[in-house]
Amino acid sequence: MNITIVNFKGGVGKSMIAHQLITGFGFRGCEIDPYGSLSDRLPDLVSRIEIQEKYLSEPGEETIFDFGGFDDIKLDQAISYSDLIIIPFIPTLETIQGTVDTLVRVAQMNKPILMVPNMSQKENDINDAKFVYEETLGFEVELFPIPMSVALQTAINENKSIIELTQQGGIKGYAYKKSANIIRDLHAKIREYQSN
């Protein structure tokens, strides 16, 4: 299964989600973000595609395209190789327009879209964003919320899977368990979109 993670708005959790899927579930990564650090953090698992390159080579199985906050021909290529598009967003007024622009751009590719409200705190904000997205697109979108989590940021800082951190045992392992279960559930949700 191949996945494109994209939002033209920066700072919404694209690389965090990519990092956790790569470190926790064996995906390979393809970073298409001149400001990204995923390939620096995981050099054996993530290849960097320079912005001036015009073409993506066909990926192997289980590849995640971590697409930075810009639009070019490589986005079409990544999506054409993908079974699912994940669009993370922060459910605030400031990020809605960038996310709408992304949705309009990728919806024309006719691939399944999973919206991920990241660092979500208020259900009303998520529902308001969902309303805007569905009004814009004219069809329903599926959401998978990821609540605000210090544990996930710790996993990124330590360059590990949150699932690996739970295996440390003790209070630390217990503290990370809820976030690890959310990432496991996200992975299970992603697998529901897998092509047969």
Side-chain angles (χ1 to χ4, degrees):
M1 182 177 194
N2 297 327
I3 300 167
T4 295
I5 302 178
V6 63
N7 191 327
F8 299 150
K9 179 79 177 80
V12 295
K14 297 182 291 282
S15 294
M16 180 275 289
I17 293 169
H19 186 283
Q20 289 304 298
L21 293 173
I22 291 165
T23 57
F25 299 99
F27 285 90
R28 304 277 310 166
C30 181
E31 184 172 52
I32 312 162
D33 184 350
Y35 306 108
S37 63
L38 200 58
S39 57
D40 295 330
R41 288 179 176 274
L42 303 169
D44 295 336
L45 300 173
V46 179
S47 59
R48 180 187 295 271
I49 305 298
E50 298 302 331
I51 195 165
Q52 66 270 18
E53 291 187 44
K54 299 225 183 300
Y55 300 102
L56 297 175
S57 55
E58 189 162 342
E61 295 178 3
E62 302 289 295
T63 297
I64 292 178
F65 297 99
D66 180 22
F67 214 98
F70 65 99
D71 185 4
D72 79 359
I73 189 82
K74 292 187 291 295
L75 178 57
D76 295 295
Q77 295 167 33
I79 291 172
S80 73
Y81 292 138
S82 296
D83 303 290
L84 175 66
I85 302 163
I86 294 178
I87 303 178
F89 67 97
I90 311 255
T92 62
L93 196 56
E94 296 80 32
T95 68
I96 295 285
Q97 189 58 55
T99 304
V100 165
D101 293 344
T102 306
L103 263 173
V104 168
R105 170 73 170 83
V106 303
Q108 59 191 306
M109 301 290 287
N110 293 318
K111 295 282 180 133
I113 298 170
L114 178 63
M115 304 293 297
V116 178
N118 188 27
M119 296 187 271
S120 57
Q121 295 179 4
K122 298 179 185 168
E123 192 169 334
N124 284 348
D125 292 343
I126 296 171
N127 291 334
D128 288 347
K130 183 177 186 343
F131 174 80
V132 170
Y133 301 149
E134 291 180 347
E135 280 288 302
T136 301
L137 292 174
F139 57 83
E140 286 189 26
V141 294
E142 185 166 20
L143 299 181
F144 185 94
I146 297 180
M148 182 80 75
S149 170
V150 174
L152 286 171
Q153 189 55 55
T154 301
I156 300 296
N157 293 344
E158 294 189 19
N159 204 28
K160 294 182 178 174
S161 161
I162 189 71
I163 294 164
E164 183 182 347
L165 293 182
T166 62
Q167 295 164 354
Q168 295 175 354
I171 289 179
K172 206 171 190 182
Y174 178 78
Y176 296 141
K177 190 174 182 181
K178 183 176 179 184
S179 292
N181 286 338
I182 289 167
I183 295 300
R184 282 189 188 99
D185 290 346
L186 174 61
H187 180 250
K189 172 57 66 181
I190 286 167
R191 290 295 176 195
E192 291 176 14
Y193 290 91
Q194 193 161 9
S195 298
N196 295 325

